Structure formats: structure tokens, C-alpha cells
Amino acid sequence: MAHIHFVESNTAHAGNFEIEVPVGYHWLLVITRTPGQFWVNGAFRDYPAHSAILYRPSQKVHYRASAGQFINDWIRFEADEPYITESPLPLGVPFALNDPDYCHKLFELLVTEHNFNRDCKESSLDSLLRILFNKLWESYFQGSITPQYYKLLKLRTAIQNQPGGYWTVSGMADSLGISPGYLQNIYKKTFGISCMEDVISSRIRMAKEYLIHNAQSIAEVAFLCGYQNVEHFCRQFKQITGHTPRSYQKHAKG
């Protein structure tokens, strides 16, 4: 199990911030929320926001602000767990995160768990750290991540969190400042599904939940899931699931 010495989230530093530790004592993970400069292969190099860097014990740590305020999440810890000590992640070399908001939320939870002496503190911290390293691995092996990817990810997260909203290709494209055609092209290339297919899939997933566990009518479920026309909802539901909403409800409950 890992032992956390200190963890902070959303720590802000002035533009002249710089940290240099010739020989670090523990494991250190830093995630940037603004651009920064890191000492890599004998020189400072610029890295964008949403970069992660992992330092092993006894490794030199040297990084600084690059332009204006420097904001980061960071954690210093000891560990003998293979998922950390035998990790394929690069050491002392930043890499891009594929879901920085998710990782930031994990850091907020780590801070809360570390600062309060709750009954399950150690196991909760261990679980959160394991999840964080899972996300780091996913990011590292994803490959190239562009600023546009983060915008698409926020759009997809919004779709899946609020599938019942009024979603149109033109509206989504306007929110990103790109053309509808270009949005459809890059969204499918990025996620393997079109933006409207994602909307429909999310709506049907929500509809299944309502049909099984709630007492609303079919019309009410359709409205909650973003459909203005009940017949359209029923056709789309059957096309995707192979059942009408009513037959799906009866089969699931039976």
C-alpha cells in the first residue's frame, strides 16, 4: 500500500516559481493546469497545460513557471506497489493527459481523504491512487493529444451527463466554433462514433434506466430523455434495442 506524505490540488504559484531538488526523497507526481517548463535531458523544455510527470525516489526534480502564474496538482508519496514501482510510465518526462478534469477530481478527493482521519482512510487513499495511475496509463498509451481533443471531450462529457438536452449538430459545432461537417468528421475519428449517435446512445441508456426503475409513463420517459415526439422515441428505441419501450419494460421487470 502507498503512503502519502503530502498532496495538494489546484496550487497556484507566482510567475517566478521554480523548484529544484537535486535528489528527491520520495515518489512525486505533478500534473499541470497551466503551461510549465521541465528539466528534461539536460535542458528546460516547454510543456502545455494538462501534462503529467512522475519522478522516482532519488531522481532530480527541476521545473518552473513558463509564462505567468503556474498552477498544478501534486502528490509526494512512498510506494512498494508494482502498479507504481513497475509502471511503464516514463520517469522525469512529461506526457499529456487524456482526461485532465477527471484526474483533477481525483486529486481533490485525495486531498480530502488525506486531511481527514476517517475509518477507511488508508484503503480509500490506496483505491484513489490506483484509479489515478490507471488514468495515467490510459493517457500515456493513447498517443497524440491535441487542444482540440480536450474541447471534444468536454462536449462528449456534457452529452453523456445531460442526454435529455437539446442537442443538434449545428448547435454543438457552434459551441466549438467549427463547421457542422468538420465536427462530425473529427468527432467520429476521435471517439469512433458520430456526435448524434452518441446523443442517441446516451438517451436510450437513460431511457432503459427510467423504464426499469421509475414509474413514469412512456411519454414522460420520452420527454425526460429529450424526445418531443413519443412515436419517434419508440421507433428509435426499438431500432437500437430490438424491443418497444413497453415490451422492454415488461421483459426487464419480469
Side-chain angles (χ1 to χ4, degrees):
M1 188 174 290
H3 173 71
I4 295 173
H5 288 282
F6 207 82
V7 56
E8 283 191 334
S9 172
N10 213 37
T11 307
H13 306 276
N16 61 352
F17 169 78
E18 182 171 351
I19 184 167
E20 181 177 8
V21 182
V23 180
Y25 295 108
H26 305 114
W27 288 91
L28 173 67
L29 172 65
V30 178
I31 292 180
T32 66
R33 308 202 72 200
T34 55
Q37 292 184 336
F38 290 82
W39 187 266
V40 177
N41 296 326
F44 272 117
R45 304 180 189 277
D46 291 306
Y47 289 89
H50 314 314
S51 295
I53 184 167
L54 179 66
Y55 296 99
R56 59 171 171 77
S58 76
Q59 185 173 13
K60 177 178 179 178
V61 176
H62 198 182
Y63 58 95
R64 65 189 184 188
S66 60
Q69 191 179 48
F70 180 72
I71 303 174
N72 68 313
D73 301 328
W74 66 278
I75 180 170
R76 184 167 56 84
F77 59 98
E78 293 180 65
D80 56 8
E81 295 283 358
Y83 77 88
I84 296 174
T85 60
E86 300 175 18
S87 167
L89 297 174
L91 297 171
V93 181
F95 58 93
L97 290 175
N98 69 354
D99 197 340
D101 289 341
Y102 188 104
C103 292
H104 179 62
K105 290 173 183 175
L106 287 173
F107 260 93
E108 290 179 330
L109 292 171
L110 281 164
V111 170
T112 300
E113 288 295 336
H114 184 257
N115 291 340
F116 291 91
N117 291 317
R118 293 168 172 160
D119 292 340
C120 299
K121 175 179 176 177
E122 293 304 321
S123 61
S124 294
L125 287 172
D126 183 65
S127 296
L128 289 168
L129 199 58
R130 286 175 183 271
I131 295 170
L132 178 57
F133 267 78
N134 284 345
K135 300 308 294 183
L136 296 177
W137 293 344
E138 289 174 358
S139 298
Y140 180 61
F141 289 111
Q142 179 169 325
S144 178
I145 298 175
T146 65
Q148 189 175 64
Y149 168 84
Y150 294 125
K151 294 180 181 179
L152 291 172
L153 182 62
K154 285 188 176 181
L155 172 61
R156 191 177 199 201
T157 300
I159 288 172
Q160 295 182 351
N161 285 340
Q162 299 176 319
Y166 181 67
W167 296 104
T168 65
V169 175
S170 59
M172 289 185 275
D174 286 344
S175 71
L176 298 182
I178 58 179
S179 70
Y182 184 56
L183 169 63
Q184 294 185 84
N185 182 38
I186 62 170
Y187 196 99
K188 188 155 190 175
K189 281 185 177 179
T190 302
F191 301 119
I193 186 174
S194 76
C195 50
M196 285 311 299
E197 286 173 338
D198 226 354
V199 170
I200 293 168
S201 175
S202 298
R203 286 176 171 175
I204 298 303
R205 184 175 64 249
M206 176 185 279
K208 289 178 179 179
E209 181 69 14
Y210 283 138
L211 289 169
I212 296 173
H213 299 292
N214 291 42
Q216 289 99 336
S217 67
I218 300 298
E220 288 171 328
V221 169
F223 179 77
L224 288 170
C225 294
Y227 292 90
Q228 304 302 313
N229 184 288
V230 179
E231 288 74 19
H232 177 52
F233 165 65
C234 292
R235 283 196 303 271
Q236 206 161 71
F237 190 94
K238 186 174 183 179
Q239 181 181 3
I240 293 173
T241 67
H243 299 274
T244 65
R246 183 66 66 197
S247 66
Y248 176 86
Q249 187 178 53
K250 289 181 179 179
H251 177 76
K253 289 185 176 182

